[in-house]
Amino acid sequence: MMSDRLFNLTGKRILITGSNGGLGLAIAGGLGRLGASVILNGRDEAKLNAAVDGLRSTGLDVAAARFDVTSEAEVASAIDGLEAEAPIDVLINNAGIQRRVRLDEITLEVWEEVLRTNLTSAMLMGRQVARGMITRQRGKIVNICSVMSDLGRTTTGAYTAAKGGLKMLTRAMCADWGPLGLQINAIGPGYFATEMTQPLIENPEFNAWVVNRTPARRWGEPSDLVGASAFFSSAASDFVNGQILYVDGGMTTVL
Ligand code: GCO
C-alpha cells in the first residue's frame, strides 16, 4: 500500500531532545509505536532512565543519550558517539524551558538561559547532526516551536523571542541544507497539558481563557503531536521544507 511506504518509520533512528518527560516523551512513544528506534535525551540521569524503562516495558526500541543540548562540547561528543553506532535519520529539537517575567524586569541571565535552551540548542544540535546527514544526502530535522513563534503573551518575552527565532532558524536551515537532501520543518504546539503549563492549568481564569480562545475548546493532549511528528519524520514529507505546522486546535487561525 502507498501509505505503508509513505508513513513507514520502521528502522528509522530518531533522536528527540528534552524527551525524558512532557511533549518530547509523548512524541518518542508515539513514533516508537510506529516502528521507529527512538533515542531519548535529557540532563537528569534518573529521570532519563525512568523514561527509557517506561517505554521499553511496552516493547519499544529505546535508547538513552544523557547530555546537555546547550553545551557545544557535550553535543559534539554525544552525536559523534551516536553516529559511530548508526546513522541518525531524524532529529527532533524539542528541548525547551519557560521563564515567566515581564521584559522590563528580566535579568540578562534569565534571558540568555531561555534563548540558549530554546534556540541556540537547536542550532548546536542541528549543525552537528546535519554534518552526517549531508554526507548521506538525506535526513530530517523537526523543530518544536510554539504558537509563540507568531503570537506574544505578557511575561513570556524571552520564550516568544526564542520560538520566533526557531521558526526562522527552520527556514534558514532549509535554505542551507534543503539543496543537500535534508528536510527541515517545524511544529507549533498550542496549549498542551504538561509540566511547563501546570501553573496555568491550575489557574481557573487562565484555564477558561485557553479553552474559549481555542476553536477545539480544549487543551491539547501530548499525543496530539504524534501525527505531525510522524508526517515530518517520514517519506510523506519528502517535498515539504521550511514549513511550520500549528497543532493548536485552531488558536492561531481565529480572533
Ligand atoms: C505560556 C505557556 C506557553 C505554552 C506554549 C504555547 O506561558 O503561555 O507556557 O508558552 O507553553 O508554548 O504554545
Side-chain angles (χ1 to χ4, degrees), residues 98 100 145-149 153-156 159-160 163 188-192 194 196-197 200 206 209 219 248 251:
Q98 174 66 284
R100 299 185 182 95
C145 287
S146 159
V147 292
M148 282 156 177
S149 295
R153 188 181 80 76
T154 183
T155 74
T156 65
Y159 183 93
T160 303
K163 292 297 187 179
Y191 278 85
F192 280 69
T194 65
M196 181 191 279
T197 55
L200 305 176
F206 193 95
W209 173 79
W219 288 69
D248 65 357
M251 178 182 260

Side-chain angles (χ1 to χ4, degrees), residues 22-33:
L23 301 181
L25 183 56
I27 290 169
L31 298 179
R33 284 186 288 281

